[in-house]
Amino acid sequence: MEPTVCPWCQSEIVWDEEIGPEEHCPHCANELKGYRTLNIALDDEDAEETEVYEADYEEASDEEADDLRRIWGAEPESMSTLRTVDKYGEDHDLFAFEETVERILDEQEEVPECLHCREYMLFAGTQRVSGEGFQPVNPPLIQGPVLQTPYEMNVYVCPGCFQVQYNLAENDRLQMIKSFIHKKE
């Protein structure tokens, strides 16, 4: 009897040989047979993995197939379609591009993940926000603005889909924390 491990909670499941294998994990109650893995093809050599995913899609029950169509669209697609950079591959050396991206990421202190395609993002610089064009909110609890102008934001760009994201610069994060603590006291 080979032990079964739940792919969701990683618990080992011991089942009775007379009854047969469990359909649901007794620990987390997730369906054991419905677990799907999405393999992202970065080049043409991974075509076999895409075929495995498509086979899972075709073997799914009607309910699961409807869920997959609702989530991924009418036909199963590879997540690599989110990578806008791939369309420039014919005219440019994307291997050199990705090598450079990796070296830049290795030197960054903070490496956020793109919300759109889940690639790691590159720090592009900072942007200063002055009082002009910014209307602060003054929650009654803290009796003042959440952010004091001027403040700086870190700007990140995704090398995969070219989405841009912002987060508060380190000094302004600390300033915000301190202002919340002092206003509460």
Side-chain angles (χ1 to χ4, degrees):
M1 175 172 75
E2 186 176 319
T4 303
V5 177
C6 174
W8 301 97
C9 69
Q10 303 299 315
S11 298
E12 185 175 331
I13 301 167
V14 180
W15 49 274
D16 187 356
E17 289 185 23
E18 292 178 11
I19 298 174
E22 299 280 341
E23 289 186 18
H24 297 292
C25 175
H27 302 284
C28 67
N30 280 308
E31 183 181 353
L32 295 174
K33 295 179 183 176
Y35 188 79
R36 301 284 184 253
T37 301
L38 177 64
N39 295 312
I40 300 172
L42 297 178
D43 51 21
D44 293 337
E45 294 174 3
D46 295 337
E48 294 172 9
E49 292 176 7
T50 304
E51 290 172 13
V52 169
Y53 170 73
E54 289 173 359
D56 284 346
Y57 188 84
E58 291 167 3
E59 292 173 6
S61 69
D62 291 339
E63 185 178 316
E64 290 173 335
D66 289 343
D67 288 342
L68 288 171
R69 282 188 200 90
R70 182 175 39 79
I71 293 169
W72 300 111
E75 294 297 320
E77 296 179 5
S78 171
M79 286 289 287
S80 64
T81 59
L82 295 175
R83 286 179 44 92
T84 306
V85 72
D86 290 341
K87 73 180 182 181
Y88 301 108
E90 294 175 9
D91 300 330
H92 304 296
D93 183 8
L94 291 186
F95 183 73
F97 172 77
E98 292 200 13
E99 220 173 57
T100 304
V101 166
E102 285 298 320
R103 291 202 320 246
I104 293 170
L105 289 171
D106 289 342
E107 296 175 6
Q108 283 183 206
E109 287 182 29
E110 207 173 310
V111 184
E113 194 175 84
C114 177
L115 298 173
H116 186 68
C117 71
R118 306 188 63 89
E119 290 273 339
Y120 291 123
M121 300 186 80
L122 300 172
F123 177 62
T126 58
Q127 181 176 358
R128 188 168 184 81
V129 177
S130 62
E132 187 176 321
F134 176 73
Q135 294 295 327
V137 174
N138 297 312
L141 181 65
I142 61 171
Q143 301 171 350
V146 172
L147 281 176
Q148 298 278 348
T149 55
Y151 62 90
E152 289 188 355
M153 295 186 299
N154 295 326
V155 180
Y156 290 90
V157 64
C158 176
C161 67
F162 302 105
Q163 294 288 319
V164 177
Q165 291 179 19
Y166 303 91
N167 66 27
L168 206 53
E170 183 71 23
N171 290 338
D172 293 302
R173 293 176 192 175
L174 294 171
Q175 182 62 36
M176 183 175 146
I177 292 169
K178 288 177 185 175
S179 71
F180 280 23
I181 293 169
H182 292 289
K183 290 178 182 175
K184 186 178 179 182
E185 295 172 348

